[in-house]
């Protein structure tokens, strides 16, 4: 299933382990405009829960989807404000 979002930017953090995917995602989200979606590509299985938890506890961002693929985890994070 391919996610149908208007992807503003793709962040590749493959090979990075906790906490770098979240740190880099936060930095990239800061550069986006409200409503834009950041696609994050990670290889760390922990990024599924890490990015979910970060988005849930962070004002102005929303985790819209996550996909678990072959060794790559895709996260779609929208900046809401």
């Amino acid at each position: 299933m391919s996610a149908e979002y208007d992807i503003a930017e793709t962040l590749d953090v493959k090979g990075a382990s906790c906490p770098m995917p979240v740190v880099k995602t936060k930095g990239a989200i800061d550069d986006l405009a409200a409503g834009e979606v950041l696609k994050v590509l990670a290889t760390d299985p922990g990024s599924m829960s890490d990015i979910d938890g970060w988005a849930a506890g962070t004002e102005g961002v929303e985790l819209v989807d996550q996909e678990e693929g072959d060794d790559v985890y895709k996260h779609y994070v929208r900046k809401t404000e």
Side-chain angles (χ1 to χ4, degrees), residues 20-52:
M20 289 318 292
V22 169
V23 171
K24 291 185 181 287
T25 298
K26 181 187 184 312
I29 276 284
D30 288 344
D31 295 337
L32 297 186
E36 290 186 324
V37 174
L38 175 69
K39 178 179 181 178
V40 182
L41 303 175
T43 49
D44 178 9
S47 67
M48 294 296 279
S49 58
D50 292 348
I51 290 178
D52 183 22

